[in-house]
Every structure is written in structure tokens, then in C-alpha cells.
Amino acid sequence: MSLAYATRQAWRYPARVTVQTAPSGSVVSVAHLRAHVAQSVTDDDAMLESLGLAAQEWVEAYLGRAVLTQTREASYDGAPGCVVLLPEPITGITSVKAFDEDDSETMITTSTYRLDTSPLLPRLVLRDGQLWPTSLREDASLVIRYGCGWSAGTVPMAILQALMLLVAHWYEHRQPVSAGTFTTVPMGVEALLSPWRIRTGAA
């Protein structure tokens, strides 16, 4: 087995990721969105708030990363030598649990692993001489809960601009199709988000 192949085998992406604590509110205020769509009255504030939250969810799904601070839980199948978290801003590890074939839970202490907060590829790595528990079950054998996302005021401007462009587009076009042209996502949104998008898979 080549070193490159062994390295790829040791690096895993989660089999499943779920949001445990959702972000509090939207990354863009209703007042900011109102100004962006050139609306001077507050009649449509409820709609703009809803569109802002929907756009934030859309952007997160497209990017494959968290936008605003939240808590997520990642489940891994098997026990790789090093666990690769989703490449997104990682604020810290809350807990790491291992489950054996009898579904018994073992809490992994911080003396067993360390968090490499490299901006390119944040990852949880076993410390020298440490091993995962033996007899792990095949599915969801390792469950990691962690904080992620940017804090308010630190979200990259390109992501904010794409989000506001999407809200303005949805606000203007209340239907998915206008004059025979698909208008779900306006031009420019994907171009703004592309540099921040995560593409998982083997190298």
C-alpha cells in the first residue's frame, strides 16, 4: 500500500453532520436587508427576515460550511488514524465519543487527541502513542460535537454580499420562474461563493 493511499484512508470526512445548536438569528439584520432592497417602509420586514434566514441556509448548504456561530455533531464510520472535520471555521471541540459493538459509549479525553486549527483543513488528530478504543461498531463509531462558524461581524464580505444578493433577488421575484427564465439563483451569487466552497472527496 502506497503512503499516499494510506494517508487518504486515514483521513475521513463525516458520514453525517447535524446541527445541534442553531445560530441565533441572521447574519444580516432586517434593517440592512431593507436598505439593500431599497425599501423605506417596514411593511415587508417579516418577509425580509424570513428570506434572510432562508438565504443563510441556502448559502451554508452550497458552501458546505457554517456561516454564523453554531454547534454541530459529526458522526464517523470506522476509526481512522486522524479525523478530518468539515473545513469550516472551528471554534472548539465540545466532546468526542466512541461506541463499541455493544453500543456502549466511551468519552474520549483531550489527552488522547489535539485539534489542528489549520485554516485550510481543521482536523482532530490522535496524539503520539494514542489509539482509538478497540472493537468499535461499523457505523457512527465516533461522534464529535464541535463549535463552528464565524462570529457576527467577521463573516467574509463576499459571503455577505452573496447572501444579500440572493435575498434581493427572491424579494423581487416571488415566483421561481419569471418571463420564461429561471430566476431561482441570480448571476453573481455562485461566483462570489465559489472561493469559499468546500468540495469533499478523495484527492
Side-chain angles (χ1 to χ4, degrees):
M1 179 184 294
S2 69
L3 177 60
Y5 178 79
T7 301
R8 287 199 299 271
Q9 288 297 97
W11 288 17
R12 301 275 184 88
Y13 284 94
R16 289 162 298 282
V17 177
T18 57
V19 176
Q20 299 298 309
T21 304
S24 56
S26 174
V27 68
V28 182
S29 69
V30 173
H32 201 163
L33 291 176
R34 190 191 312 126
H36 185 71
V37 300
Q39 179 61 268
S40 59
V41 296
T42 60
D43 296 1
D44 290 341
D45 278 7
M47 178 187 296
L48 288 172
E49 181 179 16
S50 177
L51 291 176
L53 292 172
Q56 188 167 303
E57 291 180 2
W58 188 95
V59 167
E60 286 191 335
Y62 181 83
L63 292 178
R65 67 167 79 229
V67 172
L68 201 58
T69 303
Q70 57 193 263
T71 302
R72 293 187 172 188
E73 194 169 82
S75 298
Y76 295 81
D77 297 338
C82 117
V83 176
V84 179
L85 297 176
L86 286 177
E88 54 194 358
I90 302 295
T91 58
I93 301 294
T94 302
S95 65
V96 179
K97 300 177 182 179
F99 294 86
D100 63 20
E101 296 172 347
D102 296 324
D103 298 330
S104 296
E105 172 188 311
T106 299
M107 185 69 72
I108 307 300
T109 64
T110 55
S111 61
T112 303
Y113 65 87
R114 64 180 176 85
L115 177 62
D116 177 2
T117 55
S118 166
L120 178 63
L121 196 65
R123 56 184 183 158
L124 183 151
V125 185
L126 285 173
R127 295 184 184 276
D128 291 343
Q130 298 295 323
L131 296 173
W132 297 116
T134 58
S135 302
L136 293 178
R137 65 189 185 191
E138 293 184 1
D139 62 308
S141 54
L142 207 60
V143 178
I144 302 174
R145 183 170 293 197
Y146 59 99
C148 56
W150 287 279
S151 59
T154 65
V155 179
M157 188 56 66
I159 295 177
L160 289 176
Q161 186 60 40
L163 193 151
M164 290 189 294
L165 186 60
L166 192 58
V167 169
H169 185 78
W170 286 345
Y171 181 77
E172 181 68 22
H173 302 278
R174 308 298 172 88
Q175 301 297 327
V177 177
S178 175
T181 302
F182 286 99
T183 60
T184 302
V185 180
M187 292 180 60
V189 169
E190 293 184 354
L192 286 165
L193 295 177
S194 182
W196 295 95
R197 191 179 190 189
I198 299 304
R199 294 173 174 83
T200 61

Short mmCIF file of all heavy atoms in Angstrom, two decimals, residues 141-194:
data_model
loop_
_atom_site.label_atom_id
_atom_site.label_comp_id
_atom_site.label_asym_id
_atom_site.label_seq_id
_atom_site.Cartn_x
_atom_site.Cartn_y
_atom_site.Cartn_z
N SER A 141 -19.33 5.12 14.73
CA SER A 141 -18.45 4.64 15.80
C SER A 141 -17.78 5.78 16.55
O SER A 141 -17.39 5.62 17.70
CB SER A 141 -17.39 3.71 15.22
OG SER A 141 -16.69 4.35 14.17
N LEU A 142 -17.68 6.91 15.90
CA LEU A 142 -17.06 8.08 16.51
C LEU A 142 -17.99 9.28 16.29
O LEU A 142 -18.41 9.56 15.17
CB LEU A 142 -15.71 8.35 15.86
CG LEU A 142 -14.63 9.05 16.68
CD1 LEU A 142 -14.29 8.23 17.92
CD2 LEU A 142 -13.40 9.27 15.83
N VAL A 143 -18.33 9.98 17.37
CA VAL A 143 -19.24 11.14 17.29
C VAL A 143 -18.55 12.33 17.93
O VAL A 143 -18.20 12.30 19.10
CB VAL A 143 -20.58 10.84 17.98
CG1 VAL A 143 -21.49 12.08 17.91
CG2 VAL A 143 -21.28 9.65 17.33
N ILE A 144 -18.37 13.38 17.13
CA ILE A 144 -17.66 14.57 17.60
C ILE A 144 -18.62 15.76 17.57
O ILE A 144 -19.23 16.06 16.54
CB ILE A 144 -16.44 14.87 16.71
CG1 ILE A 144 -15.49 13.68 16.69
CG2 ILE A 144 -15.72 16.13 17.20
CD1 ILE A 144 -14.34 13.83 15.73
N ARG A 145 -18.73 16.43 18.70
CA ARG A 145 -19.54 17.66 18.77
C ARG A 145 -18.57 18.84 18.84
O ARG A 145 -17.63 18.83 19.62
CB ARG A 145 -20.46 17.65 19.99
CG ARG A 145 -21.37 18.87 20.06
CD ARG A 145 -22.43 18.72 21.13
NE ARG A 145 -23.38 17.67 20.82
CZ ARG A 145 -24.58 17.54 21.40
NH1 ARG A 145 -24.95 18.42 22.33
NH2 ARG A 145 -25.37 16.55 21.07
N TYR A 146 -18.81 19.84 18.01
CA TYR A 146 -17.87 20.95 17.92
C TYR A 146 -18.58 22.26 17.56
O TYR A 146 -19.66 22.26 16.98
CB TYR A 146 -16.79 20.66 16.87
CG TYR A 146 -17.33 20.41 15.46
CD1 TYR A 146 -17.32 21.42 14.50
CD2 TYR A 146 -17.83 19.17 15.10
CE1 TYR A 146 -17.80 21.20 13.23
CE2 TYR A 146 -18.32 18.94 13.85
CZ TYR A 146 -18.30 19.95 12.89
OH TYR A 146 -18.79 19.72 11.64
N GLY A 147 -17.95 23.36 17.93
CA GLY A 147 -18.46 24.67 17.57
C GLY A 147 -17.83 25.12 16.27
O GLY A 147 -16.67 24.82 15.99
N CYS A 148 -18.60 25.84 15.46
CA CYS A 148 -18.08 26.27 14.17
C CYS A 148 -18.79 27.53 13.70
O CYS A 148 -19.80 27.94 14.27
CB CYS A 148 -18.23 25.16 13.13
SG CYS A 148 -19.94 24.58 12.94
N GLY A 149 -18.27 28.13 12.66
CA GLY A 149 -18.87 29.32 12.08
C GLY A 149 -18.18 30.60 12.50
O GLY A 149 -17.43 30.63 13.48
N TRP A 150 -18.43 31.65 11.74
CA TRP A 150 -17.88 32.97 12.06
C TRP A 150 -18.76 33.68 13.07
O TRP A 150 -19.98 33.50 13.09
CB TRP A 150 -17.78 33.82 10.80
CG TRP A 150 -16.70 33.43 9.84
CD1 TRP A 150 -15.37 33.75 9.93
CD2 TRP A 150 -16.84 32.67 8.64
NE1 TRP A 150 -14.68 33.23 8.86
CE2 TRP A 150 -15.55 32.56 8.04
CE3 TRP A 150 -17.92 32.06 7.99
CZ2 TRP A 150 -15.33 31.89 6.85
CZ3 TRP A 150 -17.70 31.38 6.81
CH2 TRP A 150 -16.41 31.29 6.26
N SER A 151 -18.17 34.50 13.90
CA SER A 151 -18.95 35.34 14.80
C SER A 151 -19.50 36.53 14.01
O SER A 151 -18.99 36.86 12.93
CB SER A 151 -18.09 35.83 15.96
OG SER A 151 -16.98 36.57 15.48
N ALA A 152 -20.53 37.16 14.54
CA ALA A 152 -21.13 38.31 13.87
C ALA A 152 -20.08 39.39 13.66
O ALA A 152 -19.29 39.70 14.56
CB ALA A 152 -22.29 38.85 14.69
N GLY A 153 -20.05 39.93 12.47
CA GLY A 153 -19.09 40.98 12.16
C GLY A 153 -17.80 40.48 11.55
O GLY A 153 -16.96 41.30 11.13
N THR A 154 -17.59 39.16 11.51
CA THR A 154 -16.36 38.62 10.93
C THR A 154 -16.61 37.74 9.71
O THR A 154 -15.67 37.17 9.16
CB THR A 154 -15.58 37.79 11.98
OG1 THR A 154 -16.35 36.64 12.35
CG2 THR A 154 -15.29 38.62 13.23
N VAL A 155 -17.86 37.62 9.28
CA VAL A 155 -18.18 36.83 8.09
C VAL A 155 -17.56 37.50 6.87
O VAL A 155 -17.68 38.72 6.71
CB VAL A 155 -19.70 36.69 7.91
CG1 VAL A 155 -20.03 35.89 6.65
CG2 VAL A 155 -20.33 36.04 9.13
N PRO A 156 -16.87 36.75 6.01
CA PRO A 156 -16.25 37.35 4.82
C PRO A 156 -17.24 38.17 4.00
O PRO A 156 -18.39 37.76 3.82
CB PRO A 156 -15.75 36.13 4.04
CG PRO A 156 -15.48 35.11 5.11
CD PRO A 156 -16.56 35.32 6.12
N MET A 157 -16.81 39.30 3.47
CA MET A 157 -17.68 40.21 2.76
C MET A 157 -18.30 39.56 1.53
O MET A 157 -19.45 39.85 1.18
CB MET A 157 -16.90 41.46 2.36
CG MET A 157 -17.77 42.56 1.78
SD MET A 157 -19.12 43.06 2.88
CE MET A 157 -18.19 43.77 4.25
N ALA A 158 -17.55 38.70 0.85
CA ALA A 158 -18.09 38.05 -0.35
C ALA A 158 -19.32 37.20 0.00
O ALA A 158 -20.29 37.15 -0.76
CB ALA A 158 -17.02 37.19 -1.01
N ILE A 159 -19.27 36.52 1.15
CA ILE A 159 -20.40 35.70 1.57
C ILE A 159 -21.59 36.58 1.93
O ILE A 159 -22.74 36.28 1.57
CB ILE A 159 -19.99 34.79 2.76
CG1 ILE A 159 -18.92 33.79 2.31
CG2 ILE A 159 -21.20 34.08 3.34
CD1 ILE A 159 -18.41 32.90 3.42
N LEU A 160 -21.34 37.67 2.63
CA LEU A 160 -22.42 38.60 2.97
C LEU A 160 -23.05 39.18 1.71
O LEU A 160 -24.28 39.28 1.61
CB LEU A 160 -21.88 39.73 3.84
CG LEU A 160 -21.49 39.39 5.28
CD1 LEU A 160 -20.89 40.61 5.95
CD2 LEU A 160 -22.70 38.90 6.06
N GLN A 161 -22.24 39.56 0.75
CA GLN A 161 -22.75 40.16 -0.48
C GLN A 161 -23.59 39.16 -1.26
O GLN A 161 -24.65 39.50 -1.79
CB GLN A 161 -21.59 40.65 -1.35
CG GLN A 161 -22.02 41.42 -2.59
CD GLN A 161 -22.82 42.66 -2.25
OE1 GLN A 161 -22.50 43.36 -1.29
NE2 GLN A 161 -23.85 42.94 -3.03
N ALA A 162 -23.14 37.90 -1.31
CA ALA A 162 -23.90 36.86 -2.00
C ALA A 162 -25.24 36.63 -1.32
O ALA A 162 -26.28 36.47 -1.98
CB ALA A 162 -23.10 35.56 -2.04
N LEU A 163 -25.24 36.63 0.00
CA LEU A 163 -26.47 36.41 0.76
C LEU A 163 -27.47 37.54 0.50
O LEU A 163 -28.65 37.29 0.26
CB LEU A 163 -26.13 36.31 2.25
CG LEU A 163 -27.22 35.79 3.19
CD1 LEU A 163 -26.58 35.11 4.39
CD2 LEU A 163 -28.13 36.91 3.68
N MET A 164 -26.99 38.79 0.52
CA MET A 164 -27.89 39.91 0.29
C MET A 164 -28.39 39.95 -1.16
O MET A 164 -29.54 40.30 -1.42
CB MET A 164 -27.18 41.22 0.65
CG MET A 164 -26.96 41.40 2.14
SD MET A 164 -26.36 43.04 2.60
CE MET A 164 -24.75 43.06 1.83
N LEU A 165 -27.53 39.56 -2.09
CA LEU A 165 -27.94 39.49 -3.49
C LEU A 165 -29.04 38.46 -3.68
O LEU A 165 -30.00 38.67 -4.43
CB LEU A 165 -26.72 39.15 -4.36
CG LEU A 165 -26.91 39.16 -5.88
CD1 LEU A 165 -27.35 40.55 -6.35
CD2 LEU A 165 -25.62 38.75 -6.58
N LEU A 166 -28.91 37.34 -2.97
CA LEU A 166 -29.91 36.29 -3.05
C LEU A 166 -31.24 36.75 -2.46
O LEU A 166 -32.31 36.52 -3.03
CB LEU A 166 -29.40 35.05 -2.31
CG LEU A 166 -30.16 33.74 -2.49
CD1 LEU A 166 -30.22 33.34 -3.96
CD2 LEU A 166 -29.49 32.63 -1.68
N VAL A 167 -31.19 37.43 -1.31
CA VAL A 167 -32.41 37.95 -0.69
C VAL A 167 -33.10 38.96 -1.61
O VAL A 167 -34.32 38.91 -1.81
CB VAL A 167 -32.09 38.60 0.67
CG1 VAL A 167 -33.30 39.39 1.18
CG2 VAL A 167 -31.69 37.55 1.69
N ALA A 168 -32.33 39.89 -2.17
CA ALA A 168 -32.90 40.89 -3.06
C ALA A 168 -33.55 40.25 -4.28
O ALA A 168 -34.62 40.68 -4.74
CB ALA A 168 -31.82 41.87 -3.50
N HIS A 169 -32.92 39.20 -4.78
CA HIS A 169 -33.46 38.50 -5.95
C HIS A 169 -34.78 37.81 -5.62
O HIS A 169 -35.75 37.92 -6.36
CB HIS A 169 -32.44 37.49 -6.46
CG HIS A 169 -32.86 36.81 -7.72
ND1 HIS A 169 -32.76 37.41 -8.95
CD2 HIS A 169 -33.39 35.58 -7.93
CE1 HIS A 169 -33.21 36.57 -9.88
NE2 HIS A 169 -33.59 35.46 -9.29
N TRP A 170 -34.81 37.11 -4.50
CA TRP A 170 -36.04 36.44 -4.08
C TRP A 170 -37.14 37.44 -3.75
O TRP A 170 -38.32 37.18 -3.99
CB TRP A 170 -35.77 35.55 -2.86
CG TRP A 170 -35.00 34.30 -3.18
CD1 TRP A 170 -34.78 33.75 -4.41
CD2 TRP A 170 -34.34 33.44 -2.24
NE1 TRP A 170 -34.04 32.61 -4.29
CE2 TRP A 170 -33.76 32.39 -2.99
CE3 TRP A 170 -34.20 33.47 -0.86
CZ2 TRP A 170 -33.04 31.37 -2.38
CZ3 TRP A 170 -33.49 32.45 -0.25
CH2 TRP A 170 -32.90 31.41 -1.00
N TYR A 171 -36.75 38.58 -3.19
CA TYR A 171 -37.72 39.61 -2.85
C TYR A 171 -38.36 40.19 -4.11
O TYR A 171 -39.56 40.47 -4.15
CB TYR A 171 -37.03 40.72 -2.06
CG TYR A 171 -37.94 41.84 -1.61
CD1 TYR A 171 -38.80 41.68 -0.53
CD2 TYR A 171 -37.92 43.07 -2.27
CE1 TYR A 171 -39.63 42.71 -0.11
CE2 TYR A 171 -38.74 44.11 -1.86
CZ TYR A 171 -39.59 43.92 -0.79
OH TYR A 171 -40.42 44.95 -0.38
N GLU A 172 -37.54 40.36 -5.14
CA GLU A 172 -38.03 40.92 -6.40
C GLU A 172 -38.83 39.91 -7.21
O GLU A 172 -39.82 40.24 -7.86
CB GLU A 172 -36.85 41.43 -7.24
CG GLU A 172 -37.23 42.05 -8.57
CD GLU A 172 -37.98 43.36 -8.42
OE1 GLU A 172 -37.85 44.00 -7.35
OE2 GLU A 172 -38.69 43.74 -9.37
N HIS A 173 -38.40 38.67 -7.19
CA HIS A 173 -39.04 37.60 -7.96
C HIS A 173 -39.72 36.64 -6.99
O HIS A 173 -39.07 35.75 -6.44
CB HIS A 173 -38.02 36.86 -8.82
CG HIS A 173 -37.29 37.76 -9.77
ND1 HIS A 173 -37.79 38.16 -10.99
CD2 HIS A 173 -36.07 38.37 -9.66
CE1 HIS A 173 -36.93 38.95 -11.61
NE2 HIS A 173 -35.88 39.09 -10.81
N ARG A 174 -41.01 36.80 -6.81
CA ARG A 174 -41.74 35.98 -5.84
C ARG A 174 -42.03 34.57 -6.36
O ARG A 174 -42.44 33.70 -5.59
CB ARG A 174 -43.07 36.66 -5.45
CG ARG A 174 -42.91 38.11 -5.01
CD ARG A 174 -42.07 38.24 -3.76
NE ARG A 174 -41.77 39.64 -3.45
CZ ARG A 174 -42.53 40.43 -2.72
NH1 ARG A 174 -43.66 39.97 -2.21
NH2 ARG A 174 -42.18 41.68 -2.48
N GLN A 175 -41.83 34.34 -7.65
CA GLN A 175 -42.04 33.03 -8.26
C GLN A 175 -40.70 32.51 -8.76
O GLN A 175 -39.80 33.29 -9.09
CB GLN A 175 -43.04 33.12 -9.42
CG GLN A 175 -44.41 33.65 -9.02
CD GLN A 175 -45.12 32.74 -8.03
OE1 GLN A 175 -44.95 31.52 -8.06
NE2 GLN A 175 -45.88 33.34 -7.13
N PRO A 176 -40.54 31.16 -8.83
CA PRO A 176 -39.26 30.61 -9.28
C PRO A 176 -38.94 30.87 -10.73
O PRO A 176 -37.80 30.79 -11.16
CB PRO A 176 -39.41 29.10 -9.01
CG PRO A 176 -40.88 28.87 -9.02
CD PRO A 176 -41.50 30.11 -8.44
N VAL A 177 -39.97 31.19 -11.55
CA VAL A 177 -39.75 31.43 -12.97
C VAL A 177 -40.37 32.76 -13.34
O VAL A 177 -41.50 33.07 -12.94
CB VAL A 177 -40.36 30.32 -13.84
CG1 VAL A 177 -40.19 30.64 -15.32
CG2 VAL A 177 -39.72 28.98 -13.52
N SER A 178 -39.62 33.58 -14.08
CA SER A 178 -40.12 34.88 -14.49
C SER A 178 -39.88 35.07 -15.98
O SER A 178 -38.74 34.97 -16.45
CB SER A 178 -39.41 35.99 -13.71
OG SER A 178 -39.80 37.26 -14.17
N ALA A 179 -40.96 35.34 -16.74
CA ALA A 179 -40.87 35.58 -18.18
C ALA A 179 -40.13 34.47 -18.90
O ALA A 179 -39.34 34.70 -19.81
CB ALA A 179 -40.19 36.92 -18.44
N GLY A 180 -40.37 33.23 -18.46
CA GLY A 180 -39.79 32.08 -19.14
C GLY A 180 -38.34 31.81 -18.78
O GLY A 180 -37.70 30.94 -19.35
N THR A 181 -37.79 32.55 -17.81
CA THR A 181 -36.38 32.38 -17.43
C THR A 181 -36.28 31.94 -15.98
O THR A 181 -36.95 32.49 -15.11
CB THR A 181 -35.61 33.71 -17.59
OG1 THR A 181 -35.73 34.15 -18.93
CG2 THR A 181 -34.14 33.51 -17.26
N PHE A 182 -35.46 30.95 -15.72
CA PHE A 182 -35.25 30.51 -14.34
C PHE A 182 -34.57 31.62 -13.55
O PHE A 182 -33.55 32.17 -13.97
CB PHE A 182 -34.40 29.23 -14.29
CG PHE A 182 -35.16 28.01 -14.73
CD1 PHE A 182 -35.03 27.51 -16.02
CD2 PHE A 182 -36.02 27.37 -13.86
CE1 PHE A 182 -35.74 26.39 -16.41
CE2 PHE A 182 -36.73 26.25 -14.25
CZ PHE A 182 -36.59 25.75 -15.53
N THR A 183 -35.11 31.94 -12.40
CA THR A 183 -34.58 33.05 -11.60
C THR A 183 -34.35 32.65 -10.15
O THR A 183 -34.36 33.50 -9.28
CB THR A 183 -35.56 34.24 -11.64
OG1 THR A 183 -36.82 33.82 -11.09
CG2 THR A 183 -35.76 34.75 -13.05
N THR A 184 -34.19 31.36 -9.88
CA THR A 184 -34.02 30.92 -8.50
C THR A 184 -32.75 31.50 -7.89
O THR A 184 -32.75 31.97 -6.76
CB THR A 184 -33.96 29.38 -8.44
OG1 THR A 184 -35.15 28.86 -9.00
CG2 THR A 184 -33.83 28.90 -7.01
N VAL A 185 -31.64 31.46 -8.62
CA VAL A 185 -30.36 31.98 -8.13
C VAL A 185 -29.85 33.01 -9.14
O VAL A 185 -29.63 32.69 -10.30
CB VAL A 185 -29.32 30.86 -7.96
CG1 VAL A 185 -28.01 31.43 -7.44
CG2 VAL A 185 -29.85 29.80 -7.01
N PRO A 186 -29.64 34.23 -8.71
CA PRO A 186 -29.18 35.27 -9.64
C PRO A 186 -27.71 35.10 -10.02
O PRO A 186 -26.93 34.48 -9.30
CB PRO A 186 -29.38 36.56 -8.85
CG PRO A 186 -29.25 36.14 -7.43
CD PRO A 186 -29.85 34.76 -7.36
N MET A 187 -27.35 35.67 -11.15
CA MET A 187 -25.96 35.65 -11.58
C MET A 187 -25.11 36.40 -10.56
O MET A 187 -25.51 37.42 -10.02
CB MET A 187 -25.81 36.32 -12.95
CG MET A 187 -26.44 35.55 -14.10
SD MET A 187 -26.21 36.41 -15.68
CE MET A 187 -24.42 36.46 -15.77
N GLY A 188 -23.95 35.89 -10.29
CA GLY A 188 -23.04 36.54 -9.35
C GLY A 188 -22.96 35.86 -8.00
O GLY A 188 -21.92 35.92 -7.34
N VAL A 189 -24.04 35.20 -7.57
CA VAL A 189 -24.04 34.55 -6.26
C VAL A 189 -23.00 33.43 -6.21
O VAL A 189 -22.16 33.38 -5.30
CB VAL A 189 -25.44 34.02 -5.91
CG1 VAL A 189 -25.37 33.11 -4.68
CG2 VAL A 189 -26.40 35.17 -5.64
N GLU A 190 -23.05 32.53 -7.17
CA GLU A 190 -22.11 31.41 -7.17
C GLU A 190 -20.67 31.88 -7.37
O GLU A 190 -19.74 31.30 -6.81
CB GLU A 190 -22.51 30.39 -8.23
CG GLU A 190 -23.83 29.69 -7.92
CD GLU A 190 -24.18 28.61 -8.93
OE1 GLU A 190 -23.44 28.48 -9.93
OE2 GLU A 190 -25.18 27.90 -8.71
N ALA A 191 -20.48 32.94 -8.18
CA ALA A 191 -19.14 33.47 -8.39
C ALA A 191 -18.56 34.03 -7.09
O ALA A 191 -17.37 33.85 -6.79
CB ALA A 191 -19.17 34.56 -9.45
N LEU A 192 -19.40 34.70 -6.30
CA LEU A 192 -18.95 35.24 -5.01
C LEU A 192 -18.63 34.14 -4.01
O LEU A 192 -17.69 34.25 -3.22
CB LEU A 192 -20.03 36.16 -4.43
CG LEU A 192 -20.20 37.52 -5.10
CD1 LEU A 192 -21.52 38.16 -4.66
CD2 LEU A 192 -19.03 38.45 -4.75
N LEU A 193 -19.41 33.06 -4.05
CA LEU A 193 -19.26 31.98 -3.06
C LEU A 193 -18.22 30.94 -3.44
O LEU A 193 -17.70 30.23 -2.58
CB LEU A 193 -20.61 31.29 -2.85
CG LEU A 193 -21.73 32.13 -2.24
CD1 LEU A 193 -23.02 31.31 -2.17
CD2 LEU A 193 -21.35 32.64 -0.86
N SER A 194 -17.93 30.83 -4.72
CA SER A 194 -17.06 29.76 -5.21
C SER A 194 -15.72 29.65 -4.46
O SER A 194 -15.30 28.53 -4.12
CB SER A 194 -16.81 29.94 -6.71
OG SER A 194 -16.01 28.89 -7.21
#
